[in-house]
Amino acid sequence: MTPFTEKVIGIIRSIPAGRVMTYGQIAKLAGSPRAARQVVRILHSMSRAYKLPWHRVVNAKGAIAIQDDESYNEQWMSLEAEGVLVGLHGVIDLKKYLWEPDGE
DNA sequence: CTGGTGACTTATC
DNA sequence: AGATAAGCCACCA
């Protein structure tokens, strides 16, 4: 367990319902602006153990990044359930839903 | 230990 | 604007 991991977990846990964050933002807030991959790995790895809202994390385009259809569908449903309108391509309107902790 | 990969991002061409 | 390269670091073979 590294400090980076703990930060990432804390950041993801702080994402309010109905809002999303990008991997890049999380990585930057955690201390490594280009460590988006680690965020992904941590998320994938810890979401199950820490009950993290991984469905509130999307890529830089504001789209669902998952490759697995089942998980993709699960994220889609979770977002819709929180009031986030997801496009048919899994694209989310970042201008509306992107949560910036600094601008909170 | 070495090497390759990944639910990604940003900068350059 | 689409394609390429480099960066990041944990995990698995």
Side-chain angles (χ1 to χ4, degrees):
Chain A
M1 180 70 78
T2 66
F4 181 80
T5 303
E6 296 184 59
K7 285 185 181 178
V8 170
I9 292 172
I11 292 166
I12 294 171
R13 280 187 24 161
S14 69
I15 303 175
R19 290 288 180 280
V20 299
M21 276 189 84
T22 67
Y23 294 100
Q25 258 186 314
I26 295 170
K28 183 161 56 178
L29 291 173
S32 298
R34 303 296 143 74
R37 294 194 157 163
Q38 284 58 269
V39 176
V40 169
R41 262 226 54 79
I42 291 165
L43 195 61
H44 187 105
S45 196
M46 310 303 257
S47 59
R48 196 169 51 179
Y50 285 74
K51 313 289 177 52
L52 298 177
W54 57 272
H55 54 264
R56 294 181 192 148
V57 184
V58 296
N59 64 23
K61 296 185 296 292
I64 294 175
I66 284 186
Q67 297 296 321
D68 300 290
D69 295 314
E70 297 179 64
S71 300
Y72 179 92
N73 188 36
E74 189 179 328
Q75 178 165 17
W76 188 324
M77 289 191 302
S78 299
L79 289 172
E80 288 278 327
E82 295 184 348
V84 178
L85 298 179
V86 184
L88 294 178
H89 262 298
V91 179
I92 296 167
D93 189 347
L94 291 180
K95 296 188 305 301
K96 289 184 177 181
Y97 302 111
L98 181 63
W99 180 61
E100 303 181 70
D102 192 47
E104 161 60 6

